[in-house]
């Protein structure tokens, strides 16, 4: 009887937490100063909430995932072995998403954004349930594969934004993706750390509840953005990673910028995948210092994506904003690589995060040269590219860091991954400039 009462009370607490967190996300979304959202556009607000909850849900589980893996693998499992499993879990998600994202994008071009977006939210809720009730590590892999297959939120949300945007505000509206990402990584880990005290599975319950609440909200509120005349037949030849990229390759601007983005996406893993190891090795930071620093990075990145691009992109234009952003990225990598004091990482974060202007500018340019009935395919291409680089980027950067920090090494240079990031970004600048010298012409219907 005591266990039953305790379970009922825990359930009530979780329901209350989900409602409060959903309300918090709603308040942030309605107050965040993004142009279309300032007009209280329900559709754009929903897209922002969807992305924010997705990233918050992911951030919530970060602090407790190692403990959950240790529990499922067996008592006495080392943190090193848990990290190995964690890396393979990320790879399972990335590989599945790489192959499934173009299918999802093609389906959204055929059947509309609304059903695909709602389906992806439901799929994420199922994934969290797998994580809550998983009896073994194998079930975690099944859950991650389900999430990768259904992980259409960023793909379809990008296409939705393209549908409802004009040429003048498209790049700025794409900035909400980065803003949601930054804010989610501020809110999520803090909440996850607190909820983890109640058990390693509780944060997954809350993340699943948030996702289901957002699914219900979208079911009743979200309108369809893709008009019937702008839809196209679903084609398997275009609904695969290679087919999607081949199909998009007919647009020279997109082909060139996709290659440039590949170098950028690999470069950013010098920070995303290597930050903790680098700061521990060079500045002897503990987990609290690392968490605070990542929260600062998320906050600054959210400000850049959600506020500054509204002014910078219209002032500079999309093409110059690409060069401006990539230049800041390269400078940020270099400053990180040669930082000598811990406080410098905070100061240099401003420079690095200003590089976030490049992504929305590039997306705005590319979205402007494909027809309305291919926006989902384009966003699917973005997601596939990000997934592909997420498979190869982390091992490249982390192994480079390990090579230059090994005890018996001839050269000791912890900033090696950051330096490689700067080099890759400079290559991206050259590729982007070469591509954007060509005339940009509107595309006809595919």
């Amino acid at each position: 009887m005591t266990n039953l009462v305790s379970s009922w009370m825990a359930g009530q607490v979780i329901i209350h937490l989900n409602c409060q967190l959903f309300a918090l996300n709603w308040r942030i979304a309605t107050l965040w100063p993004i142009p279309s959202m300032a007009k209280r556009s329900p559709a754009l607000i929903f897209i922002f909430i969807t992305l924010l909850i997705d990233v918050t849900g992911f951030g919530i589980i970060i602090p407790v995932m190692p403990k959950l893996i240790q529990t499922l693998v067996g008592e006495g499992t080392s943190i090193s072995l848990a990290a190995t499993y964690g890396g393979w879990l990320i790879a399972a998600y990335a590989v599945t998403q790489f192959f499934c994202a173009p299918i999802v994008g093609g389906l959204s071009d055929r059947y509309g954004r609304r059903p695909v977006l709602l389906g992806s939210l439901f799929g994420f809720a199922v994934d969290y349930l797998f994580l809550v009730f998983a009896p073994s590590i194998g079930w975690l892999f099944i859950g991650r594969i389900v999430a990768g297959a259904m992980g259409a939120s960023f793909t379809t949300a990008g296409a939705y934004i393209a549908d409802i945007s004009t040429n003048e505000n498209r790049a700025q509206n794409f900035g909400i993706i980065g803003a949601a990402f930054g804010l989610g990584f501020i809110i999520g880990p803090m909440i996850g750390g607190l909820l983890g005290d109640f058990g390693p599975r509780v944060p997954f319950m809350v993340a699943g509840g948030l996702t289901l609440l957002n699914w219900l909200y979208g079911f009743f509120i979200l309108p369809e953005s893709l008009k019937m005349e702008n839809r196209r037949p679903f084609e398997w030849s275009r609904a695969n990673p290679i087919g999607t990229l081949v199909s998009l390759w007919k647009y020279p601007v997109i082909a060139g910028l996709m290659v440039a983005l590949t170098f950028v996406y690999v470069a950013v893993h010098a920070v995303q995948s290597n930050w903790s190891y680098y700061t521990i090795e060079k500045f002897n930071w503990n987990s609290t210092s690392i968490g605070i620093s990542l929260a600062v990075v998320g906050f600054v990145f959210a400000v850049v994506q959600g506020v500054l691009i509204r002014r910078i992109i219209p002032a500079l234009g999309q093409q110059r904003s690409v060069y401006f952003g990539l230049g800041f990225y390269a400078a940020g990598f270099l400053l990180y690589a040669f930082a000598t004091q811990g406080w410098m990482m905070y100061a240099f974060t401003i420079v690095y995060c200003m590089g976030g202007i490049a992504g929305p500018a590039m997306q705005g340019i590319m979205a402007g040269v494909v027809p309305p009935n291919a926006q989902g395919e384009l966003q699917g291409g973005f997601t596939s590219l990000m997934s592909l680089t997420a498979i190869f980027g982390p091992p490249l950067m982390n192994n480079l860091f390990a090579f230059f920090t090994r005890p018996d090494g001839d050269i000791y240079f912890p900033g090696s991954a950051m330096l490689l990031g700067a080099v890759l970004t400079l290559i991206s600048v050259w590729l982007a400039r070469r591509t954007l010298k060509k005339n940009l012409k509107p595309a006809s219907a595919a």
Side-chain angles (χ1 to χ4, degrees):
M1 185 65 180
T2 302
N3 290 337
L4 181 62
V5 172
S6 299
S7 299
W8 181 84
M9 292 179 65
Q12 296 301 307
V13 171
I14 290 170
I15 291 173
H16 178 72
L17 280 171
N18 278 321
C19 292
Q20 293 300 314
L21 291 174
F22 186 81
L24 173 64
N25 282 309
W26 168 262
R27 183 173 296 276
I28 291 173
T30 53
L31 295 178
W32 191 253
I34 296 173
S36 298
M37 292 172 65
K39 301 176 182 178
R40 295 292 193 266
S41 167
L44 199 59
I45 290 174
F46 172 81
I47 294 298
F48 183 67
I49 292 175
T50 297
L51 299 178
L52 181 60
I53 287 179
D54 279 356
V55 179
T56 300
F58 181 76
I60 282 175
I61 69 177
I62 289 175
V64 296
M65 181 63 86
K67 187 175 180 180
L68 180 61
I69 293 174
Q70 288 177 310
T71 301
L72 293 176
V73 175
E75 295 296 330
T77 300
S78 67
I79 193 65
S80 177
L81 181 58
T84 301
Y85 276 106
W88 283 112
L89 284 168
I90 295 173
Y93 177 89
V95 169
T96 309
Q97 189 177 64
F98 172 69
F99 287 105
C100 292
I103 298 176
V104 168
L107 289 173
S108 76
D109 284 339
R110 171 65 180 88
Y111 299 104
R113 319 302 184 200
R114 173 185 159 87
V116 174
L117 190 56
L118 293 177
S120 74
L121 289 173
F122 193 80
F124 270 117
V126 170
D127 170 50
Y128 289 130
L129 289 177
F130 269 107
L131 298 176
V132 170
F133 298 107
S136 66
I137 190 68
W139 285 95
L140 284 188
F141 279 94
I142 294 174
R144 288 284 79 192
I145 290 171
V146 169
M150 300 294 291
S153 55
F154 279 82
T155 299
T156 313
Y160 198 109
I161 291 171
D163 291 340
I164 64 176
S165 300
T166 64
N167 290 332
E168 288 74 24
N169 67 10
R170 183 178 287 113
Q172 295 94 305
N173 286 346
F174 274 125
I176 74 170
I177 296 177
F181 196 88
L183 285 173
F185 267 96
I186 298 171
I187 299 170
M190 291 191 298
I191 296 174
L194 294 173
L195 295 177
D197 292 337
F198 297 97
R201 297 179 189 260
V202 172
F204 299 94
M205 298 179 189
V206 174
L210 280 173
T211 306
L212 284 176
L213 284 174
N214 201 34
W215 178 81
L216 285 172
Y217 172 71
F219 184 82
F220 291 106
I221 299 298
L222 183 69
E224 179 56 61
S225 65
L226 185 64
K227 299 178 181 179
M228 292 298 298
E229 61 268 23
N230 289 332
R231 301 187 184 188
R232 66 174 177 85
F234 179 83
E235 303 173 35
W236 280 107
S237 62
R238 298 169 67 172
N240 61 81
I242 304 302
T244 296
L245 296 177
V246 169
S247 178
L248 294 173
W249 211 259
K250 64 185 177 183
Y251 307 108
V253 171
I254 291 180
L257 290 183
M258 280 286 192
V259 175
L261 274 175
T262 300
F263 283 90
V264 175
Y265 288 161
V266 172
V268 296
H269 281 288
V271 172
Q272 293 179 4
S273 302
N274 196 49
W275 181 274
S276 298
Y277 306 100
Y278 177 68
T279 53
I280 290 172
E281 175 69 23
K282 195 163 187 177
F283 307 115
N284 198 30
W285 282 4
N286 57 26
S287 58
T288 301
S289 300
I290 294 170
I292 293 173
S293 67
L294 289 175
V296 170
V297 172
F299 175 76
V300 177
F301 192 73
V303 170
V304 171
Q305 294 278 298
V307 180
L308 296 184
I309 64 169
R310 296 171 52 199
R311 303 180 182 277
I312 293 175
I313 292 179
L316 297 179
Q318 291 183 344
Q319 294 190 33
R320 281 189 290 180
S321 294
V322 171
Y323 310 141
F324 183 83
L326 292 178
F328 270 100
Y329 261 148
F333 283 126
L334 284 173
L335 291 171
Y336 281 153
F338 295 100
T340 57
Q341 300 291 329
W343 65 264
M344 294 181 177
M345 300 299 286
Y346 289 92
F348 298 159
T349 289
I350 298 174
V351 177
Y352 173 77
C353 289
M354 286 294 291
I357 295 167
M362 281 184 165
Q363 283 187 286
I365 292 171
M366 286 187 276
V369 300
V370 299
N373 64 3
Q375 292 293 338
E377 183 179 40
L378 175 63
Q379 300 306 320
F382 287 145
T383 305
S384 290
L385 196 61
M386 291 179 68
S387 299
L388 182 63
T389 55
I391 297 170
F392 300 105
L396 171 64
M397 295 302 179
N398 286 12
N399 282 315
L400 184 66
F401 168 82
F403 180 81
F404 283 101
T405 56
R406 70 191 194 282
D408 58 343
D410 296 326
I411 300 176
Y412 178 79
F413 183 42
S416 55
M418 305 291 188
L419 182 59
L420 177 60
V423 172
L424 294 177
T425 305
L426 290 175
I427 294 174
S428 180
V429 173
W430 176 76
L431 289 169
R433 181 171 177 79
R434 180 184 177 190
T435 298
L436 293 177
K437 281 184 176 180
K438 300 178 180 179
N439 294 326
L440 299 178
K441 297 180 180 180
S444 57

